[in-house]
Amino acid sequence: VQLVESGGGSVQTGGSLKLTCEAVGNVYETWCMGWFRQVPGKEREKVAQIDSDNMATYAESVKGRFTITKDNAKNILYLQMNRVEPEDTAMYYCAADRGTWTGLTVHTCPDVYMYFGQGTQVTVS
């Protein structure tokens, strides 16, 4: 599994940025996909994730500003970042995990993901 992020850069406070993650290899629409971020000296934080039912969840700090979506046909994950703040400055990582299935219908995404990309830097000033 290879995850390749793009779209990072510098943006002014209040602006927008869209991150893209291309998944290469055996990543399926039944997997959990997510975006994490990390600043030096702090733990990696889960920003958003989307499960096999396309249910999205977000960290409180980005709710209402960020949107995670995926294109299953192209195996691409997106993170639309709106109304960005200086506190959003971080290295952003795409992540993927099979998750856990209970029976055939209950899919649970983990707190810690198995696969990560190399990251793309976002700087808000």
Side-chain angles (χ1 to χ4, degrees):
V1 173
Q2 185 178 6
L3 303 171
V4 182
E5 304 97 335
S6 61
S10 297
V11 61
Q12 291 189 336
T13 299
S16 297
L17 208 59
K18 187 171 185 177
L19 306 183
T20 299
C21 170
E22 182 179 0
V24 180
N26 297 328
V27 178
Y28 301 101
E29 61 185 80
T30 57
W31 283 36
C32 301
M33 300 293 295
W35 288 97
F36 288 68
R37 68 186 180 187
Q38 189 171 23
V39 297
K42 291 190 176 181
E43 290 189 359
R44 191 173 293 183
E45 171 193 24
K46 186 189 295 184
V47 174
Q49 71 179 15
I50 188 165
D51 67 13
S52 57
D53 291 325
N54 278 331
M55 290 291 292
T57 56
Y58 300 92
E60 284 296 324
S61 58
V62 306
K63 270 184 183 178
R65 300 188 298 119
F66 291 9
T67 303
I68 185 171
T69 55
K70 61 179 179 173
D71 184 331
N72 289 322
K74 296 180 180 179
N75 255 2
I76 295 178
L77 182 74
Y78 301 99
L79 184 68
Q80 178 66 48
M81 306 168 62
N82 295 329
R83 302 196 310 277
V84 296
E85 304 167 352
E87 293 74 22
D88 296 321
T89 295
M91 184 71 79
Y92 283 72
Y93 298 91
C94 175
D97 194 282
R98 291 179 180 86
T100 303
W101 285 91
T102 303
L104 297 177
T105 59
V106 179
H107 188 218
T108 303
C109 293
D111 291 329
V112 179
Y113 276 51
M114 178 68 72
Y115 301 100
F116 285 88
Q118 293 299 307
T120 185
Q121 177 68 36
V122 173
T123 302
V124 183
S125 59

